[in-house]
Amino acid sequence: MKHLLKLLDWSMDEIMEVLNLADQLKYENKHGIEHHHLKGKTLGMIFSKSSTRTRVSFEVGMHQLGGHALFLSSRDLQIGRGEPVQDTARVLSRYLDGIMIRTFEQKEVEDLAKYGSIAIINGLTDFCHPCQVLADLMTIREYKGGFDGLKMCFIGDGNNMMNSLVVGGLKVGMKVSVACPEGYRPPKEITDFAAAYGDMFEMTDSPEVAIKDADVVLTDVWTSMGQEEERAEREKAFAGYCISKELMENAKGDAIVLHCLPAHRGEEIMEDVFEANAGPIFDEAENRLHAQKAVMVHCMKE
Ligand code: CP
Ligand code: NVA
């Protein structure tokens, strides 16, 4: 039994092992080859925030692996009325084989792992989004054939997506460059991690500098779930951080753009850039399914 609490906890070998398994599961899926690796297992999916991709891909993925997934809204669980996470973890460990949780605080995910005795998978917190970034890495490798010598650039908020991309991108050997306004930079835990990679990591407030010669360009919403009250302030801070055709001229000619979705056209990305990259962006969304199946097999199979 293993956890996926954050990519910081996983070695490069573990990440590569799961990416390789994801490729294999995708191949089998496309060729109608059954893979019931989690037959008889049950995954609980706790959601304290909205979701389209994470919810559907985990539920479908568990079905394809021969197991069962249970949607649990935190609004309907006693945890939403204040039952401590320590008790919830110990109770759910008696019924389930794994929990996927999407919530606000990273500590809640870490506490589930600390007090429970089953696999815990992070389906997004304010701190990170490891499942999304495994799907992103899978997509990058599909389009670019590997990671060596690639430059990945993220333009926007120093949020859960940027945090996981910095960690995942550096761990697999890419150069990572991020552009974010002052006041919206990634937390110290991430910049300290990245500092150890020397000139493989770059942080700037200039989107033009960050995107220079990039092979892969990523962005995310300016206002994440739970930050709705800051929307107006954020729109002001991020003006100039939109991925436009003009900005893309600084990237490599064959650069691809990825977006975890949902996307806000006209804010972090222009409609024409989004549609020109619909191929990779929706492959990325599809890869959530394959990457998460690999995560579940890796974490939940004895
Ligand atoms: N990218 C992502 O996690 O999408 P959902 O919020 O729809 O799950
Ligand atoms: N940063 C976004 C990602 C959504 C998948 C959020 O947390 O709302």
Side-chain angles (χ1 to χ4, degrees):
M1 187 268 292
K2 297 186 184 86
H3 302 301
L4 174 54
L5 309 179
K6 52 188 183 298
L7 287 179
L8 281 169
D9 301 335
W10 278 21
S11 65
M12 176 176 115
D13 286 349
E14 198 166 12
I15 293 173
M16 296 308 285
E17 192 186 317
V18 166
L19 292 179
N20 292 342
L21 179 57
D23 286 349
Q24 186 191 327
L25 292 171
K26 182 170 182 174
Y27 175 87
E28 290 174 0
N29 186 260
K30 299 282 179 200
H31 291 81
I33 302 166
E34 213 169 72
H35 38 228
H36 286 173
H37 299 300
L38 298 180
K39 193 161 186 283
K41 305 249 185 216
T42 307
L43 176 80
M45 308 187 299
I46 303 178
F47 283 92
S48 303
K49 292 174 174 173
S50 303
S51 171
T52 298
R53 282 143 288 268
T54 306
R55 181 193 169 167
V56 178
S57 56
F58 265 102
E59 189 162 337
V60 170
M62 199 56 188
H63 172 72
Q64 292 178 357
L65 290 169
H68 179 67
L70 229 79
F71 174 72
L72 303 164
S73 162
S74 65
R75 271 195 303 275
D76 303 326
L77 293 172
Q78 295 287 11
I79 205 169
R81 295 180 57 244
E83 183 170 13
V85 70
Q86 299 95 297
D87 297 354
T88 306
R90 284 178 288 183
V91 171
L92 293 181
S93 293
R94 304 287 178 114
Y95 307 140
L96 302 169
D97 302 288
I99 294 174
M100 189 284 300
I101 176 164
R102 165 168 289 197
T103 189
F104 295 86
E105 281 183 42
Q106 179 69 16
K107 185 173 183 306
E108 195 178 338
V109 180
E110 308 271 346
D111 281 350
L112 272 183
K114 182 168 167 195
Y115 296 103
S117 51
I118 55 174
I120 306 298
I121 299 168
N122 184 335
L124 179 145
T125 60
D126 292 345
F127 177 64
C128 63
H129 198 0
C131 290
Q132 177 69 53
V133 167
L134 289 171
D136 294 0
L137 295 176
M138 181 180 176
T139 313
I140 292 169
R141 201 164 65 157
E142 280 177 352
Y143 275 83
K144 298 290 173 189
F147 299 117
D148 281 354
L150 292 187
K151 175 176 172 180
M152 180 176 89
C153 142
F154 181 97
I155 294 174
D157 190 17
N159 63 8
N160 41 18
M161 276 305 299
M162 188 189 283
N163 293 345
S164 289
L165 282 165
V166 167
V167 176
L170 289 172
K171 281 199 177 192
V172 300
M174 285 187 285
K175 196 165 178 197
V176 178
S177 184
V178 301
C180 36
E182 220 180 313
Y184 295 92
R185 294 195 167 156
K188 191 171 174 316
E189 194 175 349
I190 299 297
T191 50
D192 282 353
F193 166 84
Y197 285 80
D199 60 8
M200 291 295 279
F201 178 69
E202 174 184 49
M203 184 163 65
T204 166
D205 60 7
S206 163
E208 288 79 10
V209 169
I211 204 170
K212 181 116 190 53
D213 297 327
D215 300 278
V216 186
V217 179
L218 296 106
T219 187
D220 184 19
V221 292
W222 294 340
T223 303
S224 286
M225 291 181 277
Q227 299 172 334
E228 289 76 7
E229 283 177 6
E230 301 170 23
R231 186 176 295 280
E233 200 182 308
R234 286 174 166 271
E235 274 172 20
K236 248 193 254 160
F238 288 101
Y241 286 78
C242 174
I243 302 189
S244 61
K245 225 158 73 186
E246 295 69 42
L247 187 60
M248 283 302 293
E249 274 163 21
N250 300 288
K252 286 218 182 110
D254 62 351
I256 56 165
V257 178
L258 297 177
H259 194 306
C260 64
L261 306 176
H264 288 200
R265 291 161 169 83
E267 291 187 20
E268 76 275 6
I269 189 163
M270 294 307 286
E271 170 91 26
D272 54 355
V273 177
F274 184 92
E275 290 304 334
N277 287 278
I281 289 172
F282 291 102
D283 281 342
E284 176 189 15
E286 177 190 327
N287 285 341
R288 292 294 304 276
L289 172 67
H290 311 298
Q292 278 152 209
K293 283 167 72 180
V295 169
M296 288 190 281
V297 172
H298 181 75
C299 293
M300 292 169 67
K301 200 176 167 184
E302 284 109 60

